[in-house]
Amino acid sequence: FTMDNASNNKRCMQELQNLLHAQDVEFGALDHLVMCFPHITHICVTHVLDNFTDADLADSGQAWAHAFPGEEEQEEYLEAVRSDPISRGHDIVRAIHASGLHQDERAQQVPLRVQQRMSSESPPHLGSTVPCFELLMSAWETLGETDVCLRPWTDVGLKWAVEYYQQMDNTRAYVISMFVDPTIRLSWIVNYWEDEYVASAERMLLQLMHEYRQKLPQMPISAQKQGKGSVHTIDSLAAHFGIKDMGTKTQPQPQREVMPDNEYYTYVNGDLWDDGSDPLKFWERKTFPTIFAIAMDYLPHQGRFEVLVFPDNYVK
């Protein structure tokens, strides 16, 4: 279930778990709850904007002084902050705008670009959520490191982004959705996660394949072909933010050691599908029977919650 992050939604999932357990149906409330990606970024941006509104000029004056080119102008600005920031505030704002530095807009451009790229997918695949969110955090970190004036606000956005990022560990859906997306597979996890998390993800995926295989007839693994298509959402975001060492194509496709599971080994070591945001074309041939079955369960998961509003006279 993809929901926004209101606490009553978590309580709803917990009640659903209780009802299903009473009927001997295995169900984990947190494992089956996916956070709406746009809602997460909206919350982070809201806190950034609140911090702009609540900023104490006396505390942040030293950081903002760098917006002025000369030492004399910087000293005049700091003197104004120390003396009476309220009465001098209008002059300060005019000076900052005259310099062309609209700091709040620059901080907001990062999540805006991520939202635009995610929305360009139709529908937005859950497999892209973690890479895009990690790129968002990396872009904010870079912005704060390169521009000291922005750090008080990028740090606020990062604080909330990290909090929601850690909550993603509550469900396997993010890792599985990346895995069954042939444009990503295991490449992002292997290239950018620490070894212990890579090992944990692989153990979970192999166990999941074992569970699915118990329900499926044995089928041969067919040869695969590489697709062609547009630039992936993740790569376009990395290029826009100037993060050259992150993306699905910036690192060589990692070759995993030989596993007892030949289907898993062949899939994760194969060429990444290069068909833009449409992984369904890859799975039309049912090349990997077990992973295909998993893909049919997880590919429909979306990264955002949508409300459908029907007219009063709508007839199903």
Side-chain angles (χ1 to χ4, degrees):
F1 296 85
T2 301
M3 299 178 169
D4 66 26
N5 303 292
S7 59
N8 59 337
N9 281 332
K10 293 182 179 180
R11 289 195 294 270
C12 171
M13 292 294 289
Q14 185 61 51
E15 181 61 21
L16 178 59
Q17 174 181 288
N18 296 339
L19 293 171
L20 291 173
H21 284 182
Q23 302 298 322
D24 296 324
V25 177
E26 185 177 346
F27 183 84
L30 293 180
D31 187 42
H32 289 81
L33 175 60
V34 172
M35 297 181 293
C36 174
F37 183 81
H39 191 226
I40 293 174
T41 54
H42 172 74
I43 292 173
C44 295
V45 171
T46 298
H47 285 286
V48 171
L49 293 177
D50 287 344
N51 203 53
F52 269 104
T53 305
D54 299 336
D56 187 342
L57 288 176
D59 292 336
S60 60
Q62 188 63 47
W64 281 94
H66 294 282
F68 298 90
E71 292 184 4
E72 183 178 348
E73 293 170 308
Q74 291 181 15
E75 183 56 36
E76 288 180 359
Y77 165 72
L78 290 174
E79 182 182 352
V81 170
R82 287 190 294 265
S83 59
D84 187 359
I86 302 300
S87 61
R88 301 286 297 273
H90 289 294
D91 293 336
I92 295 170
V93 171
R94 278 194 291 269
I96 292 175
H97 276 266
S99 69
L101 296 175
H102 304 282
Q103 307 291 2
D104 57 336
E105 294 180 6
R106 292 179 59 197
Q108 294 175 57
Q109 282 299 314
V110 172
L112 174 62
R113 177 63 61 171
V114 173
Q115 292 281 47
Q116 288 175 337
R117 292 307 307 169
M118 286 289 289
S119 298
S120 68
E121 294 184 341
S122 182
H125 302 126
L126 187 60
S128 299
T129 300
V130 168
C132 287
F133 203 62
E134 290 182 357
L135 282 169
L136 181 151
M137 292 190 292
S138 295
W140 260 342
E141 287 175 353
T142 302
L143 201 57
E145 291 170 357
T146 57
D147 193 335
V148 66
C149 298
L150 283 175
R151 189 172 300 167
W153 293 278
T154 56
D155 283 351
V156 171
L158 281 169
K159 173 187 174 182
W160 286 92
V162 168
E163 179 176 327
Y164 282 104
Y165 179 76
Q166 292 173 342
Q167 292 184 33
M168 292 180 178
D169 290 337
N170 292 331
T171 174
R172 303 174 300 170
Y174 295 102
V175 171
I176 298 172
S177 295
M178 278 192 284
F179 175 65
V180 298
D181 187 333
T183 65
I184 304 174
R185 307 194 194 192
L186 210 63
S187 61
W188 187 272
I189 294 175
V190 171
N191 285 327
Y192 306 117
W193 290 14
E194 295 180 2
D195 291 343
E196 60 178 304
Y197 296 110
V198 175
S200 176
E202 288 199 298
R203 286 194 300 269
M204 182 271 290
L205 292 169
L206 286 167
Q207 176 61 32
L208 183 68
M209 289 182 64
H210 174 74
E211 294 171 2
Y212 269 77
R213 193 170 287 121
Q214 303 305 309
K215 309 171 186 178
L216 299 173
Q218 293 298 315
M219 297 177 63
I221 302 174
S222 307
Q224 62 169 319
K225 297 180 181 179
Q226 186 176 8
K228 298 179 180 179
S230 57
V231 178
H232 197 280
T233 295
I234 298 169
D235 295 317
S236 64
L237 267 181
H240 177 81
F241 293 141
I243 304 176
K244 299 180 180 179
D245 59 346
M246 295 183 74
T248 61
K249 302 297 189 299
T250 55
Q251 303 288 344
Q253 170 68 353
Q255 297 294 302
R256 307 305 290 158
E257 295 180 3
V258 176
M259 299 281 188
D261 193 303
N262 186 54
E263 182 180 355
Y264 176 89
Y265 166 75
T266 305
Y267 177 73
V268 299
N269 288 328
D271 293 331
L272 292 180
W273 184 249
D274 197 24
D275 199 19
S277 59
D278 189 8
L280 290 177
K281 292 182 179 179
F282 175 88
W283 292 111
E284 286 177 353
R285 296 162 301 173
K286 304 181 183 179
T287 306
F288 303 95
T290 309
I291 304 175
F292 169 78
I294 298 173
M296 293 302 98
D297 282 342
Y298 281 86
L299 274 183
H301 291 191
Q302 295 190 27
R304 69 184 181 204
F305 168 71
E306 296 181 349
V307 178
L308 301 181
V309 180
F310 298 101
D312 293 337
N313 59 353
Y314 173 78
V315 178
K316 184 173 180 180

